[in-house]
Amino acid sequence: MSSDSRASGLEVGPATAARPVHTAALELVLGLFLCVGVAMDSVLAPRPEQLIHAAWFGVTAQDLVFPLFVVLSGVGLAFAHRGGLGWATTVRRSAVLLACGLVFNAVAAGTLDPETLRWTGELQVWAVLVVTVGLLHKVARGPRAWVAITGLAALLQGAFLLLWQSGCPDGAFTPGCNPSRVVDPALFGRAHVYIGGALGHDPEGVVALLGALVTVSAGVAAGHLVLTLTGSPGDSHGDGRRHGRRVPAYLLGWAATVTVAAVAAGQWMPAMKRLWTTPLGLGAAAFGVALLAVGLVVLHLRVPSRLDQLREALAWPFVAMGRNALLVYFGSQLLMLVLLTRRDEHQHPLANVMGDWVEGFALGHNRTGLVAVMLGLWLLVAAVLRSRRIYLRV
């Protein structure tokens, strides 16, 4: 999610001479997150338990990947809207995301059959969030407003889930008793939701979208907090006090507040990604905001000139990834999907074939060797795009 609001779609042009520290920090954190995400997705079976989505209750490392993308991208949306992101651009981007999500699902299914094509997905969730945040920016343009939106969204979602949970056997969600099992098939048709509705829920359906709204709102609040405290040049909403070096402390305070809310919500319902419950939405948001604070500390830290140059050189490839976060995030998933679902003449997944080929070059076992290849590939793609000043803005 790019924080440069001047672009709409694919931008080719000169780079900004001096980017604000908060923008660079967001790109750095996004880039590091994407490296971890690409590495996790590239591990071949048998995958460790933490790299597999929790079957129902509980949260694994894999469950946090998309929520972290949402909260960090929410920060970017705040930067974009305070920079003057237009409504027409917002709608156009959302439409493109929806179309790309359907293409992604068609590739996953191996067919364009409209009778069975899945309508929901991560790209679709993000598309709806982009429009929703845009609409809310018509009335909410500062950190206090977005803190209130985060709290209200969490309370409404939590109340809705608690009410539904109270009607389930033993007062707990099950695949046979949860709102997604009823709401999502009713809206889209059972054939058009996650695995045809066979598992009794849709992790990227409308019910999960409620939790995603909580997460993105916390990210947007963090973004507005940063801009207000720094009083960024040209930002009429900033207070002009230039509290740049205090921003990490304020962000950590917001992360701590959200964490307390997540723990409180967890007393009444489980944290789980399958329904994107309130504790998961708030907990992931707090983690993402804390990561942004760390990124700001790293870039604000005063060091000698030579170390500053080294820091800039080390950060360069990760910032390149962060500037094309959407492309790398969904592009890497699409590539691995193709490699895992397409087979050679011996019916071996192409991912395993590639892993064996990599192992032959002494790059390690095929499970870890493929990780190195995928990371290298996407770092190279991001570096080339950055060197040519080409960014996919959504």
Side-chain angles (χ1 to χ4, degrees):
M1 169 65 213
S2 169
S3 58
D4 188 342
S5 62
R6 296 170 300 171
S8 59
L10 188 65
E11 178 194 356
V12 182
T16 304
R19 297 174 72 78
V21 173
H22 57 263
T23 301
L26 176 60
E27 292 169 344
L28 174 63
V29 173
L30 268 170
L32 290 168
F33 156 74
L34 287 167
C35 285
V36 174
V38 169
M40 289 171 58
D41 286 342
S42 304
V43 175
L44 296 174
R47 291 166 62 84
E49 183 178 346
Q50 283 298 313
L51 300 189
I52 302 173
H53 289 293
W56 192 243
F57 295 131
V59 178
T60 66
Q62 192 69 38
D63 291 323
L64 292 174
V65 174
F66 186 48
L68 283 175
F69 175 81
V70 167
V71 66
L72 292 173
S73 296
V75 176
L77 281 178
F79 293 173
H81 280 283
R82 287 280 276 265
L85 181 65
W87 179 244
T89 300
T90 296
V91 173
R92 182 168 61 251
R93 292 177 179 182
S94 181
V96 171
L97 285 167
L98 287 172
C100 290
L102 293 178
V103 171
F104 189 100
N105 289 349
V107 173
T111 177
L112 282 169
D113 185 358
E115 296 296 324
T116 58
L117 183 63
R118 183 185 175 194
W119 300 138
T120 60
E122 288 186 346
L123 274 164
Q124 291 88 321
V125 167
W126 183 240
V128 174
L129 291 177
V130 167
V131 170
T132 303
V133 170
L135 284 171
L136 289 172
H137 267 100
K138 297 293 184 181
V139 294
R141 301 176 182 176
R144 291 182 180 178
W146 279 96
V147 166
I149 288 173
T150 302
L152 181 61
L155 285 172
L156 290 176
Q157 187 212 16
F160 169 68
L161 293 179
L162 281 174
L163 181 62
W164 199 289
Q165 183 178 251
S166 66
C168 293
D170 299 322
F173 290 126
T174 66
C177 184
N178 69 83
S180 179
R181 180 177 181 272
V182 175
V183 173
D184 292 315
L187 289 174
F188 304 110
R190 188 165 299 278
H192 300 296
V193 298
Y194 185 63
I195 312 183
L199 296 184
H201 69 282
D202 190 325
E204 286 102 32
V206 171
V207 173
L209 181 62
L210 300 177
L213 179 60
V214 173
T215 303
V216 77
S217 297
V220 175
H224 281 292
L225 179 63
V226 170
L227 292 177
T228 299
L229 291 170
T230 57
S232 303
D235 179 11
S236 61
H237 299 280
D239 61 12
R241 291 177 293 175
R242 302 294 192 273
H243 290 321
R245 298 190 180 280
R246 299 183 185 179
V247 170
Y250 281 93
L251 286 177
L252 289 175
W254 173 229
T257 301
V258 176
T259 299
V260 171
V263 172
Q267 304 306 305
W268 289 280
M269 74 183 69
M272 55 187 299
K273 173 59 172 61
R274 295 298 183 178
L275 299 178
W276 205 315
T277 56
T278 312
L280 181 278
L282 291 170
F287 188 25
V289 172
L291 288 177
L292 178 62
V294 172
L296 282 165
V297 169
V298 169
L299 293 187
H300 269 302
L301 189 64
R302 291 183 177 178
V303 296
S305 177
R306 289 185 178 180
L307 287 179
D308 186 46
Q309 293 175 356
L310 177 61
R311 176 173 60 185
E312 184 176 349
L314 292 175
W316 196 95
F318 303 113
V319 170
M321 292 270 274
R323 289 195 187 181
N324 266 304
L326 189 81
L327 173 64
V328 174
Y329 181 76
F330 289 105
S332 62
Q333 289 192 6
L334 182 61
L335 177 57
M336 279 305 301
L337 178 66
V338 171
L339 293 176
L340 289 169
T341 57
R342 303 302 183 265
R343 299 176 179 271
D344 65 4
E345 63 273 15
H346 303 295
Q347 295 304 303
H348 297 144
L350 295 181
N352 294 77
V353 174
M354 182 178 290
D356 293 337
W357 177 80
V358 170
E359 186 177 13
F361 283 86
L363 292 178
H365 189 273
N366 61 358
R367 292 177 63 202
T368 55
L370 186 60
V371 170
V373 170
M374 290 294 106
L375 267 177
L377 170 65
W378 287 105
L379 283 167
L380 177 62
V381 168
V384 170
L385 291 176
R386 183 182 177 184
S387 66
R388 294 178 177 273
R389 316 296 188 236
I390 299 174
Y391 307 112
L392 180 66
R393 311 291 192 180
V394 180

